[in-house]
Amino acid sequence: MSDRRKRRSLSSRDRIGKYQLDKIIHQGKYRTIYKAHDPFLERDVAIKVSQFPDDQDGEENSQQLRNSFFLETRAVGQLQHPNIVSVYDAGVGDRQTFIVMEYIHAKSLASMMNAKEEIPVSKAIDIIFKCCKALEYAHSKNIVHRDIKPANILITEDGNVKIVDFGIAKVRNEIDTFSSGLFGSPLYMAPEQIEEQEVGPGTDLYALGVVLYELLTGGKIFEADNVHTHLYKILNEKPKPLSSYGVEYAEKIQPIIDQALEKQSDQRYPAAADFAAAIRSVDIALRYEEAEIIKRVNADQAGTLGFFKEFRQKQLSEFVDLATWLRISNGETILSAGEIDQTFYVIVGGKAIVYKSNEPVKTLSEGDCFGEIGLLRNENSNTSIMASTDMLLMKLTTTDLNKMSTDLQAQFYKSVAHSMVKRLADHKIAADKAA
């Protein structure tokens, strides 16, 4: 495929195998990513095509591209995780390779940061936590990504996180298929990558620590005029503390950043699960701190909500005392599809959108509740719920439910049943109108 063909508009004759090409999503020197359509399964896909160069260095570059292709296909092909992009198909031609992946309605974290989008601390923590869960899974399969950076972290429309591009991944305990040299993105390289030492899970956790630092500060981890100076600082200097940027809750997050960015890999978090636990503990602490303030200010507002219209004052007071109050930022994911979340929520203020298969299906607003299936039946959620405005929520767990008086439990179950019946009735009315 020539550069001229890449630049011209695509037609119905433009295909790779059975896949009808739709548009170019990204174009680099050797790689082009297309949005395409699978006519057999009737779904959109993304196809990454690697062209083998024809220049003097073509043979060496072609071998590198082949290595990258086989590595990414084999690595991602065995990874099935909600926070890792899925691979459907792959193929090799005379002068090109291609990988067919799920098409995601998303934007990269890099594009969000470059556009100076506001990313609250709570949302930054949520993104890093989900990345940790993806890396925990990949590392359990002996796969080290080696190129964690904002450009390789996608944020979907419903707030989910997808890690992409395992093209230079390392399968541990196997011979590296790449020739010697630095592999990765210099701004996010761990010291062992710069010194061409053995990489491991800690290498990815270092890079993720850099991403977290950038999300919180809005700047680069080191100020440097060139790549060589930046690499020197990675090896020899510590970044400025979060407090120098005025980061909220810096004193709680700084220890996590410090451990993730340790120069020696064995001094970082032992595993992605440990990083995830640390970042989650901060999230819980911040939410609890806010909840106590919110509870005192907003308790009276709860009594005006539809969910509580049949509660007596004593029942309402008990419920308010048991519940945790949360502030949720616009765009933050509250509930993710496929997860078991034994938590019940009542919306005190703001709105949220319910997504099913990445498509918006319903808007929730003040007085609505959700999460009753997970709370009462311990089942996976088949929908995702994302805040479409800043929100105020009341949260109730199974532990809280067991603490309720018999009188409050009876009223709670009655109100939940009433809400579920109303939801089913609204769904039927909508279906009848659609018909």
Side-chain angles (χ1 to χ4, degrees), residues 158-300:
D158 65 350
N160 195 23
V161 171
K162 292 277 188 178
I163 291 180
V164 300
D165 199 348
F166 282 74
I168 62 168
K170 173 74 168 69
V171 181
R172 302 184 74 196
N173 304 320
E174 293 191 15
I175 297 174
D176 204 331
T177 57
F178 290 94
S179 59
S180 61
L182 297 183
F183 290 96
S185 300
L187 295 182
Y188 304 91
M189 280 185 178
E192 61 269 21
Q193 284 177 290
I194 298 170
E195 296 177 333
E196 297 186 49
Q197 297 175 355
E198 181 68 22
V199 300
T203 306
D204 287 342
L205 301 186
Y206 180 94
L208 195 58
V210 177
V211 174
L212 175 58
Y213 185 95
E214 291 185 350
L215 280 173
L216 296 173
T217 65
K220 298 301 180 185
I221 192 167
F222 293 114
E223 295 178 4
D225 295 330
N226 54 62
V227 172
H228 295 293
T229 302
H230 187 91
L231 296 181
Y232 173 85
K233 289 188 174 185
I234 290 175
L235 294 173
N236 297 284
E237 297 184 11
K238 288 188 175 182
K240 292 179 182 179
L242 300 179
S243 58
S244 66
Y245 291 91
V247 174
E248 282 188 293
Y249 312 110
E251 73 285 353
K252 290 183 170 66
I253 305 172
Q254 188 67 57
I256 296 175
I257 291 281
D258 290 343
Q259 186 164 356
L261 299 180
E262 285 284 355
K263 306 298 184 188
Q264 300 299 319
S265 61
D266 60 1
Q267 294 178 15
R268 296 174 207 144
Y269 290 102
D274 299 292
F275 195 166
I279 203 75
R280 179 60 86 191
S281 68
V282 171
D283 183 44
I284 292 171
L286 299 186
R287 291 179 187 274
Y288 179 80
E289 189 175 295
E290 284 196 344
E292 291 305 303
I293 299 171
I294 296 168
K295 182 184 289 188
R296 293 194 296 269
V297 175
N298 297 283
D300 291 342

Side-chain angles (χ1 to χ4, degrees), residues 1-2 6 30-31 49-63 65-66 91-98:
M1 187 182 296
S2 68
K6 287 179 184 177
Y30 296 126
R31 291 186 176 94
V49 179
S50 296
Q51 294 291 132
F52 298 159
D54 297 319
D55 54 24
Q56 292 181 353
D57 299 323
E59 190 57 39
E60 181 179 353
N61 288 332
S62 294
Q63 188 58 48
L65 289 170
R66 285 191 181 92
V92 183
D94 290 338
R95 303 300 302 170
Q96 71 177 25
T97 61
F98 68 90

Side-chain angles (χ1 to χ4, degrees), residues 1 5 8-22:
M1 187 182 296
R5 179 179 175 184
R8 70 171 172 79
S9 59
L10 300 173
S11 73
S12 60
R13 296 187 301 276
D14 288 306
R15 293 178 178 272
I16 294 178
K18 67 179 180 179
Y19 304 100
Q20 168 66 52
L21 302 184
D22 181 12

